[in-house]
């Protein structure tokens, strides 16, 4: 819900700044760093889209391939662990 809330807060701030002449576009971010609102809204919308895509693909897998639906999260975590190990190993002196 935090992603959806942040997305709509930024969209409302953008709409208010476009109504008020001369008002600057919002530049705040959750991490305390500054970023353009276009980039922030785009990233939040992308995350929201990926959440929906994951839910959709999980539902399709559950309906048609229940065994794969149960093992897909395990495979994804395994890929992340292998990727992290390879990257960590390549950074060590």
């Amino acid at each position: 819900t935090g992603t959806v809330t942040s997305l709509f807060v930024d969209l409302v701030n953008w709409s208010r700044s476009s109504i008020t002449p001369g008002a600057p576009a919002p530049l705040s971010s959750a991490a305390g760093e500054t970023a353009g609102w276009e980039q922030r809204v785009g990233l939040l919308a992308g995350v929201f889209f990926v959440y929906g895509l994951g839910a959709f693909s999980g539902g399709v897998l559950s309906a048609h391939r229940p065994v794969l639906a149960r093992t897909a999260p395990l495979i994804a975590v395994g890929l992340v662990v292998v990727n992290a190990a390879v990257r960590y190993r390549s950074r060590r002196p």
Side-chain angles (χ1 to χ4, degrees), residues 8-86:
F8 282 100
V9 164
D10 284 345
L11 287 173
V12 167
N13 284 338
W14 169 76
S15 70
R16 287 183 179 173
S17 69
S18 65
I19 294 172
T20 308
L27 296 174
S28 64
S29 70
E33 301 172 357
T34 58
W37 66 267
E38 296 102 346
Q39 181 182 9
R40 180 169 162 81
V41 169
L43 288 172
L44 288 172
V47 167
F48 189 66
F49 175 76
V50 170
Y51 286 164
L53 184 64
F56 176 77
S57 61
V60 169
L61 281 177
S62 290
H64 298 287
R65 302 276 191 250
V67 174
L68 186 57
R70 287 186 294 243
T71 58
L74 181 61
I75 292 169
V77 169
L79 289 173
V80 169
V81 169
V82 168
N83 184 25
V86 168

